[in-house]
Amino acid sequence: MKIKYAIIFVLVVVLIGAGVGLKMFFKPHADISKLKSEFKVEANGLIGEFEQDENAATTKYSEKVLEITGKLASKNKLQNGTDLLMMEDEMQGISCQLDSSWAATNQATIEALETGSSVTVKGICKGYLMEIKVSPAVVVK
Amino acid sequence: MLKNLFILILLGASVGVFGQSKFISKNAYISFYSSTPLEDILGESNEAVTILNAETGEIGFQALMTTFHFKRALMEEHFNENYMESTKFPKAKFNGKIEGFNKDMLNAPVADIKITGLLNVHGVEKTITVPGTLGIENGKLVGTSKFKVTPEDYGIIIPAIVRDKIGKEMEITVKTTYLPFGQ
């Protein structure tokens, strides 16, 4: 009788373990539109920080959720269909690759964006490579 | 510092003299792929930066490790935290030269090339020679490359428990469309 309970106990433990493992394995990517931004910054200020001390700025912002406001310099689509917004400067500004599932349901918002006007995006900062890379990102306004 | 500035000015001047002497892409595609019995592992980035010097055939690539995107969040986490140590080594770099380069290659149809250079991944630098293609496709200068690397060569330690389940070599694919750069 005791053995029976022991077997059941072991089985339950194994099942819970497997459940937790599977849940971790299938954990979905974080939904950027629902994440809270850790920093709210002006595009020019952010570019300035990276230009002044790339390492310090990378440590401060890399993999963090940023809300950035600045001038939309250009709006493009990459070959794979990803929407790409450039802020402040087309060459050395802030590159924001929009989240594909967000973009799929918000094409009207993207189309309404005008180059030269102010835009606010929220996204994960990846660091600096000729420009500041932010991806995935969503348009806040 | 002053010397660097001087070099920069020189570089700028030479670009001015020869016109379009550099090609660039800030959204080059790099992927790495490995097949496992459980599931294929594919990491992709559309955010690599590459510059091709049209005078010398020198070619440079840089990618931020954190821009590699995986199907599963857990894979991305393991890639950055356990294997690439992206906080310590945020960038992968390649600096090389196209073998037997001449300027006509930039205006010809796509042809096979060979590139030799230094690949720096995970803080370890190695000389590699890789095959590729370069040439005009649909009116644009396009470059590709496909080659294999062994993680252990770059000091990337994969735990024994999963090591024999992952292919010994990872396949790297590079695709880029270059645009003329600099006046």
Side-chain angles (χ1 to χ4, degrees):
Chain A
M1 215 49 199
K2 250 186 179 164
I3 285 181
K4 202 173 151 194
Y5 284 120
I7 290 171
I8 290 170
F9 178 75
V10 167
L11 270 178
V12 167
V13 167
V14 165
L15 273 174
I16 291 171
V20 169
L22 281 173
K23 203 171 171 226
M24 273 171 72
F25 185 75
F26 289 108
K27 185 176 81 176
H29 286 283
D31 180 354
I32 180 67
S33 61
K34 292 196 180 109
L35 291 177
K36 209 172 155 338
S37 53
E38 286 175 69
F39 294 94
K40 282 188 184 175
V41 290
E42 293 292 323
N44 275 324
L46 187 68
I47 294 167
E49 277 191 65
F50 272 95
E51 276 173 356
Q52 205 174 42
D53 189 341
E54 188 189 327
N55 287 336
T58 303
T59 310
K60 185 173 170 190
Y61 295 118
S62 183
E63 293 292 281
K64 302 273 162 56
V65 182
L66 269 59
E67 193 172 304
I68 311 161
T69 303
K71 192 183 81 188
L72 182 66
S74 74
K75 184 169 73 171
N76 284 304
K77 258 192 207 298
L78 297 179
Q79 271 170 338
N80 67 358
T82 304
D83 290 280
L84 174 70
L85 305 183
M86 285 298 302
M87 287 169 90
E88 297 302 327
D89 185 85
E90 202 169 341
M91 244 11 242
Q92 288 165 316
I94 303 174
S95 144
C96 308
Q97 290 202 4
L98 299 184
D99 182 72
S100 53
S101 54
W102 181 87
T105 50
N106 289 277
Q107 274 299 314
T109 311
I110 299 165
E111 270 162 41
L113 295 173
E114 280 174 38
T115 52
S117 344
S118 169
V119 65
T120 301
V121 302
K122 183 171 72 174
I124 299 170
C125 183
K126 296 295 185 179
Y128 186 80
L129 208 60
M130 263 185 86
E131 57 189 11
I132 298 167
K133 303 273 192 189
V134 176
S135 76
V138 296
V139 177
V140 177
K141 66 173 188 224
Chain B
M1 193 61 211
L2 211 62
K3 201 175 135 201
N4 284 343
L5 195 68
F6 182 62
I7 292 169
L8 256 175
I9 291 166
L10 261 184
L11 267 175
S14 67
V15 169
V17 171
F18 298 110
Q20 234 97 80
S21 68
K22 283 198 176 73
F23 287 86
I24 187 172
S25 172
K26 295 186 299 168
N27 291 292
Y29 171 90
I30 299 182
S31 73
F32 84 85
Y33 170 83
S34 174
S35 160
T36 76
L38 192 62
E39 193 164 27
D40 289 347
I41 299 167
L42 176 68
E44 295 175 295
S45 171
N46 272 307
E47 304 192 64
V49 167
T50 172
I51 296 175
L52 168 63
N53 185 325
E55 301 297 319
T56 61
E58 281 164 313
I59 201 161
F61 271 91
Q62 286 200 17
L64 287 164
M65 298 323 300
T66 48
T67 61
F68 281 90
H69 199 68
F70 293 77
K71 192 172 138 201
R72 304 210 179 283
L74 190 69
M75 285 180 187
E76 215 164 293
E77 221 173 279
H78 284 174
F79 176 75
N80 283 310
E81 286 167 18
N82 304 358
Y83 300 141
M84 303 311 298
E85 300 177 83
S86 302
T87 326
K88 229 156 105 193
F89 311 108
K91 289 174 189 173
K93 297 174 193 170
F94 175 79
N95 282 303
K97 207 173 167 174
I98 299 167
E99 285 180 11
F101 177 78
N102 71 69
K103 281 191 227 174
D104 298 335
M105 290 164 108
L106 303 174
N107 291 307
V110 175
D112 288 342
I113 54 164
K114 254 196 182 127
I115 311 161
T116 298
L118 285 171
L119 178 64
N120 186 317
V121 178
H122 192 241
V124 177
E125 199 161 62
K126 285 219 175 313
T127 301
I128 57 167
T129 297
V130 298
T133 67
L134 184 72
I136 303 290
E137 194 181 286
N138 300 324
K140 285 192 172 131
L141 183 63
V142 174
T144 69
S145 180
K146 198 173 257 199
F147 57 96
K148 286 183 172 168
V149 292
T150 307
E152 281 78 3
D153 286 352
Y154 295 88
I156 298 158
I157 295 148
I158 297 171
I161 188 161
V162 288
R163 188 63 195 100
D164 50 335
K165 295 189 186 73
I166 301 174
K168 198 170 154 24
E169 293 174 312
M170 308 265 162
E171 187 177 75
I172 313 290
T173 307
V174 182
K175 279 182 210 157
T176 174
T177 303
Y178 283 106
L179 292 170
F181 170 60
Q183 320 293 330

